[in-house]
């Protein structure tokens, strides 16, 4: 019995010394027996199954290295931070390439038409072939039917608004298109692209109508400012005629009738088609028929007929 007590004391003394040594090394080790007298697994992991007090620290160091390696090989790793010194070395080398790319981008911006000018491309003159006005079948193809189109309604509200001195709007578009007779202009929230679309569309019977406008003359006298687009009646009528006919002839018009263009509207400055400017410039010089303009300029008839319809709609011809 005495021998057992002595062995127990020696064992307790060894454990106390080992615990003191681990504490000195900075390793916190719980009581190996725990409160219940059962050896703690945490103590075994920390001590390392008899591997000495530094095994836990070595395991932690290996784990840190593994985590570091995984971070280096991970696809989702964060990008390295570029220091100012490295940046100063990179920029001069990349400057020629950056300047070349910027020049290409600027050139593309200049040459590429903007969304507004896209509606003024050659496609607005349609694709009809050269037709003979003296042949009945060709004449029917050249004359446009305006039934269900927006152009007649624009002409109506301008005519009635000017005579009655009251603002009028077109109902059925679900967007604003209002004529103000006091300034002879339209107020609209339609972009040029949308205007082009509605001008070339056909509406159902009774779908469009005329209604009183929202603006009164006193509003203008008080300095009403519009956040929406304002376009002169002359410009809108010109564009409406041009876009609607698509290179054809308005009903009741005759290309063989002699006329002279009195002036060109302001919106012409935004049109980049050279044939349009050639027709306008020539037709302002002297009275001519459409066929004479076609012959002298030697251009497709659809360009001349389109300008003729635009100028007729805007009432810019003198007969």
């Amino acid at each position: 019995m005495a021998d057992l007590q002595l062995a127990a004391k020696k064992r307790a003394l060894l454990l106390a010394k080992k615990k003191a040594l681990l504490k000195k090394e900075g390793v916190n080790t719980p009581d190996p027996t725990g409160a219940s007298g059962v050896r703690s697994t945490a103590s075994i992991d920390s001590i390392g199954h008899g591997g000495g007090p530094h095994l836990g620290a070595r395991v932690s160091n290996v784990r840190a290295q593994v985590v570091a390696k995984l971070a280096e090989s991970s696809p989702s790793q964060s990008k390295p931070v570029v220091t100012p010194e490295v940046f100063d070395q990179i920029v001069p080398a990349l400057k020629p390439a950056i300047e070349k790319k910027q020049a290409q981008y600027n050139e593309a911006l200049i040459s590429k038409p903007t969304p507004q000018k896209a509606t003024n491309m050659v496609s607005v003159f349609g694709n009809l072939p050269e037709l003979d006005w003296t042949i009945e079948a060709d004449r029917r193809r050249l004359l446009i039917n305006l039934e269900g189109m927006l152009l007649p309604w624009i002409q109506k509200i301008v005519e009635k608004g000017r005579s009655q001195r009251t603002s009028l709007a077109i109902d059925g578009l679900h967007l604003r298109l209002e004529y103000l007779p006091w300034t002879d202009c339209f107020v609209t929230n339609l972009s040029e692209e949308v205007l082009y679309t509605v001008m070339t569309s056909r509406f159902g019977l009774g779908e469009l109508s005329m209604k009183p406008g929202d603006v009164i003359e006193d509003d203008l006298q008080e300095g009403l400012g519009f956040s929406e687009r304002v376009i002169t009646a002359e410009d809108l009528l010109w564009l409406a005629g041009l876009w609607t006919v698509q290179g054809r002839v308005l009903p009741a018009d005759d290309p063989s009738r002699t006329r002279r263009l009195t002036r060109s509207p302001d919106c012409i400055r935004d049109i980049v088609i050279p044939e349009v400017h050639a027709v306008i410039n020539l037709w302002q010089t002297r009275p001519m028929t459409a066929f004479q303009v076609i012959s002298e300029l030697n251009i497709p008839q659809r360009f001349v007929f389109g300008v003729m319809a635009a100028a007729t709609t805007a009432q810019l011809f003198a007969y």
Side-chain angles (χ1 to χ4, degrees):
M1 188 71 177
D3 292 338
L4 291 175
Q5 291 177 349
L6 182 60
K9 288 180 179 181
K10 288 181 178 181
R11 184 181 176 193
L13 183 60
L14 288 172
L15 288 174
K17 288 181 178 181
K18 192 168 186 178
K19 186 174 182 180
L21 180 60
L22 291 173
K23 186 175 182 180
K24 185 177 180 181
E25 292 292 336
V27 179
N28 295 325
T29 306
D31 188 354
T33 60
S36 62
V38 180
R39 181 174 294 274
S40 170
T41 57
S43 173
I44 295 173
D45 290 341
S46 299
I47 298 173
H49 300 288
H54 297 288
L55 183 58
R58 287 200 302 272
V59 170
S60 299
N61 186 39
V62 171
R63 183 175 182 275
Q65 293 179 12
V66 171
V67 171
K69 291 294 184 183
L70 288 174
E72 292 176 1
S73 61
S74 174
S76 60
Q77 62 178 339
S78 59
K79 295 182 179 179
V81 178
V82 179
T83 63
E85 293 78 9
V86 175
F87 184 80
D88 291 339
Q89 296 175 3
I90 294 175
V91 169
L94 294 179
K95 190 175 181 180
I98 294 173
E99 290 178 346
K100 182 179 179 182
K101 197 71 176 177
Q102 185 65 45
Q104 292 174 346
Y105 177 74
N106 293 338
E107 184 179 353
L109 283 181
I110 295 173
S111 60
K112 183 178 180 181
T114 61
Q116 283 192 338
K117 290 183 179 180
T119 61
N120 291 320
M121 294 299 99
V122 178
S123 59
V124 305
F125 291 93
N127 52 13
L128 279 179
E130 299 298 294
L131 299 173
D132 190 343
W133 179 257
T134 62
I135 299 176
E136 179 65 24
D138 286 358
R139 187 162 56 249
R140 283 199 300 266
R141 290 185 65 186
L142 283 170
L143 287 172
I144 185 172
N145 179 12
L146 295 179
E147 184 178 354
M149 304 200 78
L150 183 61
L151 176 59
W153 288 101
I154 294 177
Q155 293 174 307
K156 285 178 184 177
I157 66 171
V158 170
E159 182 181 354
K160 188 173 181 179
R162 285 172 177 172
S163 62
Q164 297 183 359
R165 303 297 294 172
T166 184
S167 62
L168 294 170
I170 295 178
D171 193 18
L173 293 176
H174 308 293
L175 293 166
R176 186 180 187 187
L177 186 59
E178 181 176 350
Y179 173 67
L180 310 182
W182 314 285
T183 55
D184 198 30
C185 67
F186 280 84
V187 180
T188 181
N189 55 4
L190 302 174
S191 67
E192 190 166 305
E193 303 298 72
V194 177
L195 273 173
Y196 175 74
T197 301
V198 296
M199 295 293 186
T200 55
S201 301
R202 290 192 184 273
F203 296 85
L205 182 63
E207 194 172 352
L208 298 179
S209 60
M210 190 186 309
K211 67 177 182 179
D214 297 326
V215 180
I216 60 175
E217 189 172 6
D218 290 342
D219 293 333
L220 298 179
Q221 293 175 352
E222 293 172 3
L224 177 65
F226 293 107
S227 60
E228 298 166 318
R229 183 182 180 191
V230 178
I231 181 171
T232 66
E234 185 175 272
D235 282 350
L236 185 63
L237 287 167
W238 174 284
L239 293 174
L242 178 68
W243 293 339
T244 300
V245 300
Q246 297 282 289
R248 288 169 289 182
V249 179
L250 288 170
D253 200 357
D254 185 355
S256 62
R257 185 180 182 185
T258 302
R259 66 195 84 189
R260 185 180 67 83
L261 189 63
T262 57
R263 66 179 184 279
S264 62
D266 292 337
C267 63
I268 287 300
R269 292 176 296 185
D270 298 325
I271 297 179
V272 297
I273 306 171
E275 289 87 349
V276 172
H277 295 277
V279 171
I280 290 172
N281 292 335
L282 177 60
W283 227 331
Q284 289 183 92
T285 60
R286 62 186 185 275
M288 304 176 69
T289 68
F291 300 117
Q292 289 173 328
V293 176
I294 294 169
S295 176
E296 189 159 335
L297 294 177
N298 193 25
I299 59 175
Q301 61 185 197
R302 63 180 182 273
F303 291 105
V304 178
F305 291 160
V307 172
M308 183 176 69
T312 301
T313 305
Q315 300 178 348
L316 295 181
F317 274 129
Y319 297 93

